[in-house]
């Protein structure tokens, strides 16, 4: 049973025309894939009855941005429309991956994505992988629209783009592509897990011993830096003090003998005191 989203695209192509060029719907993918592997090529007879020049772009989802000037071209020629389709499909097939099936609920919400049964799509499934866009007239055409009348209108235009949807048009928006990328293209379960460092047993207070050692080390370094700053400040202040301080002249203090002589001289110089001392000596005798 085909997903709902694919039925809408195939049964109602006109609705997809509006979705393709509605303002704000054209977005650039978060995981852009280079178009460098799409090179200029010419296939078919030079003077075939049917001949047309196309620009070529690979898309990861419907509505992905296309810059026409950055695209290479394919020149396809043939004598009949059947051969023309075969030549174009042979150029596009190497760029097509396995189809992705998208399942949605009644509200249009994606509920499941998985790979389709066919690993190598065939030309009969072209509507699911290839569309044509006229950038000048802003028109969209499915693969089945490729006929002689369409080629006759396009053969003199340089704005026709062959859009190759690598995982089918079931991926109709960037959110769906991101969902597919997480579940199929680059599953989270298969991504390399970051290396986990060994866990150190925690201490009684909830912190590990390594955390405690680290905290003590940081405290020690801060204290050492503070002591170094204080030491430099003290040295600076001492140098300034030595420069601004003027020493006072030294006062010579008399020694003990000089002091006694001075006292004796002072006694002799005072007659009253001399008489008093003389009287005390007479009494002792």
């Amino acid at each position: 049973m085909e997903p709902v989203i694919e039925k809408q695209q195939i049964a109602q192509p006109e609705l997809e025309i509006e979705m393709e060029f509605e303002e704000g719907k054209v977005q650039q993918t978060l995981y852009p894939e280079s178009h460098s592997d799409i090179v200029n090529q010419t296939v078919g007879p030079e003077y075939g009855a049917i001949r047309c020049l196309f620009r070529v772009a690979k898309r990861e989802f419907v509505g992905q941005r296309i810059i026409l000037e950055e695209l290479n071209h394919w020149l396809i020629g043939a004598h009949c429309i059947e051969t023309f389709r075969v030549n174009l499909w042979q150029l596009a097939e190497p760029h097509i991956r396995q189809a992705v099936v998208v399942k949605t609920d009644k509200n249009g919400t994606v509920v499941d994505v998985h790979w389709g049964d066919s690993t190598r799509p065939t030309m009969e499934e072209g509507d699911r992988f290839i569309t044509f866009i006229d950038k000048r007239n802003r028109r969209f055409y499915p693969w089945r629209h490729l006929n002689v009348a369409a080629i006759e209108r396009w053969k003199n235009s340089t704005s026709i783009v062959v859009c190759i949807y690598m995982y089918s048009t079931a991926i109709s928006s960037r959110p769906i592509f991101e969902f597919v990328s997480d579940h199929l293209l680059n599953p989270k379960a298969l991504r390399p897990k970051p290396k986990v460092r060994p866990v150190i047993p925690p201490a009684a207070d909830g912190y590990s011993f390594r955390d405690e050692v680290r905290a003590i080390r940081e405290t020690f370094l801060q204290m050492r830096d503070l002591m170094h700053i204080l030491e430099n400040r003290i040295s600076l202040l001492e140098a300034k003090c030595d420069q601004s301080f003027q020493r006072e002249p030294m006062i010579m203090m008399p020694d003990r003998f000089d002091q006694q002589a001075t006292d004796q001289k002072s006694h002799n110089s005072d007659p009253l005191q001399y008489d008093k001392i003389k009287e005390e000596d007479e009494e002792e005798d």
Side-chain angles (χ1 to χ4, degrees):
M1 181 178 179
E2 292 183 341
V4 176
I5 191 170
E6 293 186 343
K7 287 183 178 180
Q8 292 178 349
Q9 291 175 348
I10 296 175
Q12 299 179 355
E14 294 299 330
L15 295 179
E16 192 173 359
I17 294 175
E18 299 298 330
M19 182 177 64
E20 178 74 23
F21 291 103
E22 183 179 349
E23 185 176 358
K25 292 292 185 180
V26 179
Q27 302 175 5
Q28 187 173 5
T29 177
L30 297 179
Y31 315 101
E33 183 166 337
S34 174
H35 299 283
S36 59
D37 56 341
I38 296 180
V39 297
N40 298 331
Q41 296 190 60
T42 301
V43 178
E46 183 178 358
Y47 300 101
I50 305 175
R51 192 175 177 86
C52 190
L53 180 70
F54 298 102
R55 297 280 184 174
V56 188
K58 288 193 300 185
R59 273 182 161 184
E60 295 161 332
F61 56 87
V62 176
Q64 186 176 351
R65 185 179 180 183
I66 293 177
I67 301 177
L68 190 64
E69 293 75 13
E70 297 181 357
L71 304 178
N72 288 327
H73 63 265
W74 290 346
L75 180 59
I76 311 297
H79 294 294
C80 63
I81 189 62
E82 290 76 13
T83 306
F84 189 93
R85 291 196 187 99
V86 171
N87 292 340
L88 180 55
W89 179 261
Q90 288 179 351
L91 293 179
E93 184 182 12
H95 305 286
I96 295 175
R97 309 291 185 263
Q98 186 175 359
V100 172
V101 178
V102 179
K103 291 186 177 181
T104 59
D105 57 15
K106 295 180 179 179
N107 299 324
T109 304
V110 178
V111 295
D112 181 48
V113 292
H114 60 271
W115 294 109
D117 297 333
S118 177
T119 57
R120 296 304 304 171
T122 62
M123 190 173 65
E124 286 70 22
E125 302 176 89
D127 276 330
R128 302 177 63 187
F129 296 95
I130 296 179
T131 62
F132 303 91
I133 294 179
D134 188 345
K135 293 282 287 183
R136 179 175 299 175
N137 298 325
R138 298 173 63 84
R139 297 291 295 176
F140 159 84
Y141 304 94
W143 168 262
R144 63 178 176 273
H145 185 77
L146 187 61
N147 52 36
V148 177
I151 296 175
E152 194 66 25
R153 293 194 309 270
W154 297 342
K155 65 180 182 180
N156 296 323
S157 176
T158 58
S159 60
I160 306 300
V161 181
V162 175
C163 293
I164 304 172
Y165 295 90
M166 297 182 291
Y167 307 104
S168 81
T169 55
I171 307 179
S172 58
S173 65
R174 185 173 68 180
I176 294 179
F177 174 74
E178 294 174 359
F179 187 89
V180 171
S181 179
D182 291 338
H183 291 78
L184 293 180
L185 306 181
N186 187 21
K188 295 181 179 180
L190 300 180
R191 296 176 185 175
K193 297 181 180 180
K195 295 182 179 179
V196 180
R197 303 179 64 180
V199 179
I200 301 176
D205 57 357
Y207 295 95
S208 66
F209 293 115
R210 186 177 296 277
D211 293 336
E212 183 178 358
V213 171
R214 186 182 297 109
I216 295 175
R217 171 65 64 181
E218 292 179 356
T219 303
F220 170 75
L221 294 177
Q222 292 176 1
M223 293 179 63
R224 187 181 64 179
D225 294 341
L226 180 59
M227 294 297 295
H228 182 69
I229 294 173
L230 292 176
E231 183 179 2
N232 292 339
R233 183 62 178 172
I234 292 174
S235 300
L236 180 62
L237 293 176
E238 288 178 346
K240 289 185 177 181
C241 289
D242 293 340
Q243 295 175 359
S244 60
F245 179 75
Q246 295 181 356
R247 297 180 179 273
E248 296 181 358
M250 295 182 61
I251 300 175
M252 300 298 295
M253 298 297 296
D255 55 15
R256 197 169 80 178
F257 297 103
D258 294 341
Q259 183 67 31
Q260 292 178 356
T262 303
D263 294 341
Q264 186 66 29
K265 184 178 180 180
S266 62
H267 290 311
N268 294 336
S269 61
D270 188 355
L272 295 179
Q273 189 176 5
Y274 175 76
D275 293 339
K276 184 177 180 180
I277 295 174
K278 185 176 180 182
E279 291 176 358
E280 290 178 355
D281 294 337
E282 291 177 355
E283 290 178 359
E284 289 180 359
D285 295 336

